[in-house]
Amino acid sequence: RETRSVRAFINTIQDMNVRGAMMHYADGGAMGHMLDGTASTEEGSNFVVYEIEELMKLGDQNVIPVLMCLFQRFERSLTGQPALLILDEAWLPFSNPFFREFLRKWLKQLRKQNCAAFIATQSLSDALRTGLLDVLIEQCATKIFLPNNEADSKGTKEHPGPHEFYTLFGLNEREIQGLKNAENKKQYYYKSDLGRRMFELGLGPLALSFVGVSDKDTLREVKACEDAHGDDWPLRWLEQRGVNYEKYLKK
């Protein structure tokens, strides 16, 4: 297995056209750092994360092979153990027609493999543009909506607004008004076959200092704190945020 690399394949293949095409993905080529190797970085790991925002800017020649590799490795990892597939801003890869059918297939089949899919987006219009709205409504039994003070804004037939999108997802006027008046980063609206209701996570200052941080500027501050303080960075970060962590230690 230690010889199963793209470079080794190129060295043994006789077809010059194939060799020329594969050089782009071999060690020394533009995508060799992602695709050429003899072992996968996630082998033996139960928790694996990939950031693909920059990848999606590189064009189909680079995006398609890498995502194909990741998707196929994920599917092979499902051996019956409980698994969770989390796709944050899922419309980024699935805006590409080549990968659209992956999502359609996953939403229909993953539950049979003991895997739950969690699909997140900042905008319902993104979900609509994928052409998968029917599958999302039918196969995603549980939906959680975040507060939106523009929830009741209406658009036109050509350019639907938030109100029309929420209606497509089965919300009525009272529910849409509830989203409009809900408190950001605190209240969420749950909808499934089991029922519907607004709920709160009840997160305090300590939890929000970590799970409530997501914008790039603040994440750079977190990274700088980690670099400066090493293993002690969580405590220093809480101090920087003005959180008295000692009262939590006493509990």
Side-chain angles (χ1 to χ4, degrees):
R1 295 187 62 180
E2 63 274 7
T3 63
R4 297 177 187 173
S5 66
V6 177
R7 173 61 64 181
F9 173 77
I10 291 175
N11 290 339
T12 57
I13 198 72
Q14 301 301 308
D15 189 306
M16 297 305 294
N17 288 328
V18 174
R19 292 184 68 169
M22 293 299 295
M23 285 297 295
H24 183 75
Y25 308 105
D27 183 31
M31 297 301 290
H33 63 293
M34 290 191 181
L35 292 171
D36 198 2
T38 56
S40 175
T41 56
E42 75 269 17
E43 286 185 355
S45 300
N46 291 323
F47 183 70
V48 182
V49 179
Y50 295 102
E51 171 56 64
I52 63 170
E53 181 178 1
E54 293 303 318
L55 172 68
M56 296 305 297
K57 301 175 183 178
L58 301 181
D60 286 354
Q61 181 186 17
N62 302 307
V63 172
I64 290 177
V66 174
L67 288 187
M68 281 289 293
C69 178
L70 295 181
F71 292 167
Q72 289 173 2
R73 292 194 67 85
F74 169 73
E75 290 181 330
R76 288 200 297 269
S77 74
L78 298 178
T79 58
Q81 81 283 15
L84 178 62
L85 171 66
I86 302 174
L87 299 169
D88 189 25
E89 294 303 332
W91 324 118
L92 198 60
F94 295 110
S95 59
N96 186 311
F98 188 84
F99 297 111
R100 198 167 295 155
E101 292 309 307
F102 271 96
L103 183 58
R104 183 181 295 274
K105 181 181 72 171
W106 281 351
L107 289 177
K108 292 182 177 181
Q109 298 180 2
L110 285 181
R111 68 185 65 182
K112 300 176 184 177
Q113 298 172 280
N114 205 19
C115 179
F118 186 96
I119 301 172
T121 179
Q122 296 293 325
S123 173
L124 292 181
S125 61
D126 291 336
L128 186 63
R129 281 194 290 268
T130 64
L132 295 171
L133 184 64
D134 57 330
V135 181
L136 293 172
I137 294 175
E138 293 171 7
Q139 300 298 328
C140 295
T142 300
K143 300 176 181 66
I144 299 175
F145 298 91
L146 279 63
N148 180 3
N149 57 14
E150 297 293 331
D152 61 347
S153 297
K154 297 181 180 180
T156 64
K157 185 177 181 180
E158 292 76 20
H159 303 285
H163 183 277
E164 286 78 20
F165 293 132
Y166 287 121
T167 302
L168 283 173
F169 275 83
L171 298 188
N172 57 38
E173 292 297 329
R174 182 182 61 82
E175 292 169 319
I176 293 174
Q177 285 299 317
L179 290 179
K180 175 182 174 65
N181 298 315
E183 188 173 343
N184 287 330
K185 294 190 176 181
K186 183 177 182 180
Q187 295 180 306
Y188 305 86
Y189 191 71
Y190 170 92
K191 175 180 179 292
S192 78
D193 294 338
L194 299 176
R196 309 178 179 203
R197 68 171 297 166
M198 191 78 72
F199 70 94
E200 297 180 6
L201 292 179
L203 300 177
L206 187 146
L208 287 174
S209 294
F210 297 99
V211 301
V213 171
S214 60
D215 64 275
K216 292 183 178 180
D217 290 338
T218 309
L219 289 176
R220 278 194 288 267
E221 292 179 19
V222 172
K223 179 60 177 174
C225 185
E226 183 180 7
D227 292 341
H229 301 289
D231 292 341
D232 289 335
W233 78 265
L235 298 181
R236 304 288 79 81
W237 173 246
L238 290 174
E239 290 178 349
Q240 190 172 326
R241 300 274 293 186
V243 177
N244 180 13
Y245 62 85
E246 292 184 355
K247 71 176 182 179
Y248 296 98
L249 295 176
K250 292 176 181 179
K251 293 180 181 181

